[in-house]
Amino acid sequence: MRVRVITPPTPIVTPADIAGDHGPTDSAVAALIAAVTEDIDGPGGWLGRALGPQVLEIVAGCFSEIACRGVIRLPYPPLIKVESVKYLDVAGVEQTLDAGVYRVNETSLMLKPGESWPSAGAFPDAVRVRFKAGYNGTAGAGAGEAQTGIVPERARQAIILSVQHLKSLGAESLYLRADEVEGIGRQEFTLSETANKVVTASCERLLSTLRIYTL
């Protein structure tokens, strides 16, 4: 099983939140914020939780790989909405599991009484559960979406504090991991080993009560 990001998280901190003489849309500060957030948030982070709203997808070879007694645990809470459960049948044709077969609570997707998982084909990505997670505020949730509240302020402050520390380290804080030119263009940064240690030290006390540990 793996979890991949379909739609990246909505930023919960902007350059305007960071002290300094930079502009409110400064690209260098925005890159620091993105790198720190990625180190903490969602499938790539150590917090075990989704902060900004994002769309994630569980990918598995079969239902039994991710389901225990009819229950699929949905990682990286808080859960906003299950968008779809799709699978490849034995002929390799994509099917969508009827939403009437299962119900959803705050942490899991589970079969209703008398229902069973369908047979999936022998493919490494035969089963895909797509869901939206993160903090989406206290008003204006979309159709079928749970209102999960505002992002805990200590999470925002952890990112702000870490970015301020990284600014003091200079350019050594980041290295470019991906640079995509075709189309719209994309740059993706990640933290150096030294910067990663700074971020972890800055965040652990603030985020200790939010961290989710898994076996």
Side-chain angles (χ1 to χ4, degrees):
M1 182 194 87
R2 66 184 188 276
V3 181
R4 60 189 180 188
V5 178
I6 303 300
T7 303
T10 302
I12 63 172
V13 171
T14 69
D17 297 315
I18 308 299
D21 58 2
H22 55 269
T25 59
D26 185 278
S27 60
V29 177
L32 285 172
I33 292 170
V36 170
T37 301
E38 184 177 331
D39 192 60
I40 298 170
D41 190 8
W46 54 262
L47 188 61
R49 184 181 294 273
L51 297 175
Q54 56 199 275
V55 178
L56 307 175
E57 187 172 76
I58 297 172
V59 182
C62 59
F63 281 100
S64 61
E65 183 180 334
I66 56 175
C68 179
R69 297 181 180 179
V71 177
I72 297 175
R73 188 184 71 83
L74 301 173
Y76 309 108
L79 175 66
I80 296 175
K81 179 184 181 180
V82 171
E83 295 195 341
S84 64
V85 180
K86 297 181 182 292
Y87 65 97
L88 300 176
D89 63 20
V90 293
V93 178
E94 182 179 84
Q95 306 289 343
T96 300
L97 186 64
D98 192 311
V101 171
Y102 58 86
R103 64 184 182 88
V104 178
N105 65 14
E106 293 181 352
T107 61
S108 306
L109 179 156
M110 59 197 74
L111 289 171
K112 290 183 177 179
E115 301 289 352
S116 59
W117 303 117
S119 297
F123 306 97
D125 58 347
V127 177
R128 300 184 305 282
V129 180
R130 186 170 294 191
F131 61 100
K132 187 175 182 180
Y135 294 91
N136 63 353
T138 57
E145 292 189 354
Q147 289 185 344
T148 53
I150 62 174
V151 177
E153 184 58 25
R154 59 189 179 277
R156 292 186 69 256
Q157 292 303 319
I159 293 172
I160 291 170
L161 178 62
S162 296
V163 171
Q164 289 172 339
H165 282 182
L166 292 178
K167 283 182 66 181
S168 69
L169 293 178
E172 297 79 10
S173 301
L174 297 175
Y175 64 86
L176 185 63
R177 186 168 66 182
D179 189 2
E180 186 177 296
V181 177
E182 185 177 351
I184 297 176
R186 175 177 66 93
Q187 283 190 322
E188 186 175 329
F189 295 90
T190 192
L191 299 177
S192 68
E193 183 178 354
T194 299
N196 184 276
K197 291 178 180 178
V198 171
V199 170
T200 302
S202 300
C203 293
E204 279 186 339
R205 291 188 66 181
L206 280 169
L207 298 179
S208 60
T209 58
L210 290 175
R211 187 170 187 178
I212 296 173
Y213 295 87
T214 57
L215 297 177

